Amino acid sequence: MDSTFTYELRVPAAANAAEGWEKPAYDGEMTTWGGTAHDLGRLVLQRWRETCEEKYRGLPAVVEVHSDDGRHAVIDDSTPVHGPTLALECAVEEAQVADLAHDVKRQELAEAMRDAREFDGLSNRNIEHRVRFVLVPNEARKILGEEKN
């Protein structure tokens, strides 16, 4: 599956009210990137430092990268990483993707539970029984609105 990455580069020391505190100095989107979010952040930062306007030269910059599949990185150093550090970054991003997929599936489960009750007339207890291997009873009740936080 191909991911779309978006990135924003900010130069905190150069931000001011006239240029906009929230406006990134540089941003973009990458749909053909095959590497990690961390690597993309380092590449964007390296190219920025090589080509930025004079007013930004020498100022610290930070690149924030997000992907549509859940990866996220904040990079302030363009030095490439290798070996165990690269493996760690890959593991972090794989965990981020898994976390997002888990959250999406939980939302789908919650919606399916409510739909089964509303459209098929299943009782809350029946639904709770059906989801017992993926949700503890209190979570199921909370989704179905029986239990408050």
Side-chain angles (χ1 to χ4, degrees):
M1 179 176 110
D2 292 332
S3 298
T4 297
F5 290 87
T6 57
Y7 53 87
E8 292 184 345
L9 183 141
R10 296 186 189 283
V11 185
N16 63 50
E19 292 184 5
W21 292 106
E22 299 300 319
K23 183 180 174 190
Y26 181 69
D27 63 0
E29 182 175 282
M30 179 75 70
T31 58
T32 58
W33 183 252
T36 67
H38 288 81
D39 283 339
L40 179 58
R42 282 189 282 274
L43 179 65
V44 169
L45 185 57
Q46 177 187 354
R47 287 187 179 164
W48 167 261
R49 288 186 173 147
E50 293 169 355
T51 62
C52 69
E53 296 175 37
E54 185 62 36
K55 68 180 181 177
Y56 296 118
R57 296 227 188 266
L59 296 176
V62 177
V63 179
E64 187 164 1
V65 181
H66 292 272
S67 73
D68 57 1
D69 66 356
R71 290 180 269 179
H72 176 242
V74 177
I75 302 297
D76 61 2
D77 180 3
S78 62
T79 306
V81 297
H82 306 282
T85 303
L86 177 59
L88 174 62
E89 289 180 354
C90 289
V92 165
E93 290 188 25
E94 289 170 11
Q96 291 171 333
V97 170
D99 286 347
L100 178 62
H102 178 266
D103 291 346
V104 168
K105 290 301 178 188
R106 288 296 173 150
Q107 290 171 0
E108 290 172 359
L109 176 61
E111 185 177 322
M113 290 167 62
R114 290 187 290 267
D115 287 350
R117 180 180 58 193
E118 182 178 345
F119 299 114
D120 286 345
L122 295 183
S123 71
N124 287 354
R125 294 288 172 238
N126 185 306
I127 295 168
E128 184 181 317
H129 178 75
R130 290 171 186 262
V131 301
R132 70 188 180 279
F133 296 116
V134 293
L135 291 177
V136 296
N138 289 346
E139 286 180 274
R141 287 185 209 116
K142 189 174 178 181
I143 289 169
L144 294 168
E146 287 185 354
E147 199 170 279
K148 302 297 180 215
N149 295 333

